[in-house]
Amino acid sequence: MLSGKNILLIISGGIAAYKSLDLIRRLKERGTGVRCVLTAGGAQFVTPLSVAALSEEAVFQGLFSLKDESEMGHIRLSREADLLVVAPASADLMAKMAAGLADDLASTILLATDKPVLVAPAMNTRMWEHPATQRNLATLLEDGLRVVGPGQGDLACGEVGAGRMSEPLEIVGAIESLLIGDAAAAPLKGRRAIVTSGPTYEAIDPVRFLANRSSGKQGHAIAAALARLGAEVVLVAGPNNQPDPAGVMVHDIESAAQMLAACETALPADIAVCAAAVADWRVAGEAEQKMKKDGSGRPPSLALVENPDILATIGQLNGGRPGLVVGFAAETEKVVDHGQSKRTRKGCDWIVANDVGTGTGVMGGDENTVHLITAQGVENWPTMSKDAVADALARRIADHFAAE
Ligand code: CTP
């Protein structure tokens, strides 16, 4: 959707500048032209070389650079882009923008532009909450600038609170809304989705449990991608170390039984994506007290019972079945064959089948190679980051509803 658009990205001084490198990558992945301006503060955190390498463009730094001015004057820089993005926007740069100061290249461009401007603030929480910053923010909003974030959370300075720069993909979402309009950027607006993610823990006794290696990366990325397309998303998540995706309602659970109960509570929905690695079995009769060795040297025997199948339960609902039910098939051999039979057996519409065998690095890794199995056939997707798989799946889901 952003292909062929041009962004002028202004990177000012703040530790969040490292996230701007990823933002450049995300935009380039989408076929967007990115030209960057680095303030003196920004250059303390990221180097012009890394910015130039990722953007594949010269980096502009000095207002009085004869070379920069002769090749691309600051007026042209400010007018040639479709959108100016300031990320991170420091408290200092926001103050300059609100006051209309123009004492370096970034602030001069921002004063000279006739293009929309998106600001992604990043600073310490006290600085963000300071009346001066809030006054400047109000002025910028009154001037028609758009603001994304900041989010809440752990800040690099060790404090906790508001001030964290929005994640690169949230900024991409805000850029899409601005450049192509909310309707096109949010095709799933008005749709409700349930996503399961992560492993489940099945208790043996109060201190021990059965689990698996799922990290929750793929499921969380899908929840985030659906939310970016405007869906109202409920994420039912087993124990994991992923940050809660922005704009998603998260229900943390432990066991398969709790995951099923949370999904049933979250129904009705238009979309269900079951990406969790649900434990197939739980221990029959979980011990109420910690199990002790009995001195015989013999290990205890654990009897297992089968867990409810959440995907099959949702896929085979008689009333209130979501319009689109998507499951995953984690396989170590005959990936597509097993995926196809799982699709029919569990009553779901699509299966995302992937090879999780030893050596693939999928469990816990950042990349995934998947096959999308539908009633129409099998699509073999190239190896992509889990975020890219999530984006592509969310877009396919949006296309499915658009075609209805
Ligand atoms: N699933 C589920 N509830 C379960 C088991 C699996 O919702 N109790 C879902 C998963 O979230 C996934 C799909 O079913 O979307 C397939 O999971 P997978 O582990 O690949 O298959 P299993 O059903 O466990 O079958 P098998 O272990 O025999 O491959």
Side-chain angles (χ1 to χ4, degrees):
M1 290 191 297
L2 290 179
S3 167
K5 302 281 186 198
N6 289 306
I7 305 278
L8 183 71
L9 174 63
I10 295 174
I11 304 174
S12 70
I15 183 64
Y18 80 91
K19 290 199 214 170
S20 304
L21 298 180
D22 192 35
L23 174 61
I24 299 171
R25 276 189 47 220
R26 303 299 184 164
L27 289 167
K28 296 290 289 182
E29 264 170 17
R30 288 164 171 75
T32 315
V34 186
R35 196 170 268 160
C36 296
V37 171
L38 200 52
T39 68
Q44 298 294 320
F45 292 93
V46 290
T47 68
L49 191 61
S50 32
V51 175
L54 288 167
S55 65
E56 299 170 74
E57 290 265 2
V59 177
F60 298 86
Q61 289 182 270
L63 180 57
F64 302 111
S65 152
L66 193 57
K67 183 172 166 289
D68 288 358
E69 270 304 301
S70 58
E71 283 173 7
M72 171 77 66
H74 61 274
I75 301 290
R76 241 180 90 197
L77 263 180
S78 71
R79 306 267 170 90
E80 277 195 2
D82 297 296
L83 173 72
L84 272 58
V85 177
V86 190
S90 63
D92 177 61
L93 185 51
M94 284 178 67
K96 278 187 188 172
M97 291 164 74
L101 292 182
D103 65 350
D104 66 359
L105 183 61
S107 53
T108 305
I109 287 173
L110 286 160
L111 199 60
T113 192
D114 57 354
K115 293 293 159 45
V117 178
L118 175 69
V119 180
M123 63 198 73
N124 165 273
T125 189
R126 296 259 176 278
M127 292 168 81
W128 174 249
E129 284 164 3
H130 195 285
T133 305
Q134 290 302 309
R135 244 187 343 261
N136 294 332
L137 173 69
T139 305
L140 296 180
L141 291 171
E142 216 169 283
D143 289 348
L145 276 69
R146 297 281 284 266
V147 176
V148 53
Q152 299 265 345
D154 293 335
L155 303 174
C157 53
E159 292 183 12
V160 180
R164 203 157 101 162
M165 187 170 92
S166 293
E167 295 305 316
L169 287 175
E170 287 170 61
I171 301 177
V172 169
I175 293 173
E176 283 174 343
S177 298
L178 261 166
L179 287 183
I180 57 180
D182 284 343
L188 289 175
K189 206 170 173 59
R191 305 267 177 201
R192 183 174 161 88
I194 301 172
V195 179
T196 69
S197 180
T200 62
Y201 284 3
E202 308 298 331
I204 297 171
D205 67 15
V207 296
R208 304 181 180 93
F209 54 84
L210 299 176
N212 61 64
R213 292 183 200 279
S214 169
S215 63
K217 267 184 201 157
Q218 187 63 82
H220 277 57
I222 291 167
L226 290 169
R228 279 196 299 278
L229 293 190
E232 177 194 343
V233 182
V234 179
L235 173 64
V236 182
N240 68 85
N241 291 318
Q242 307 300 318
D244 285 354
V248 166
M249 219 177 322
V250 183
H251 285 296
D252 291 311
I253 53 81
E254 283 216 338
S255 66
Q258 290 166 353
M259 184 172 270
L260 176 62
C263 288
E264 285 174 336
T265 308
L267 285 165
D270 304 284
I271 304 154
V273 181
C274 293
V278 185
D280 288 324
W281 303 283
R282 67 179 181 280
V283 177
E286 165 194 349
E288 272 177 30
Q289 306 299 333
K290 184 183 168 196
M291 289 165 67
K292 307 294 272 181
K293 294 189 281 292
D294 65 6
S296 71
R298 278 193 307 274
S301 61
L302 291 179
L304 301 178
V305 286
E306 201 167 308
N307 266 330
D309 192 308
I310 298 157
L311 174 63
T313 307
I314 297 176
Q316 289 159 8
L317 275 175
N318 268 331
R321 180 189 187 276
L324 187 67
V325 178
V326 183
F328 269 70
E331 306 295 343
T332 56
E333 56 165 359
K334 299 185 192 147
V335 177
V336 170
D337 287 352
H338 286 316
Q340 274 165 330
S341 58
K342 250 174 215 175
R343 193 183 84 80
T344 14
R345 182 157 38 89
K346 300 205 180 198
C348 54
D349 303 295
W350 299 354
I351 280 277
V352 181
N354 60 353
D355 189 342
V356 294
T358 320
T360 60
V362 171
M363 289 297 230
D366 289 324
E367 293 202 324
N368 210 351
T369 312
V370 307
H371 312 268
L372 182 69
I373 302 172
T374 69
Q376 280 70 47
V378 182
E379 290 171 25
N380 301 313
W381 290 7
T383 300
M384 294 188 255
S385 70
K386 287 184 176 173
D387 283 335
V389 169
D391 272 337
L393 185 66
R395 192 134 297 281
R396 278 300 303 266
I397 291 174
D399 291 346
H400 167 84
F401 284 104
E404 255 187 356

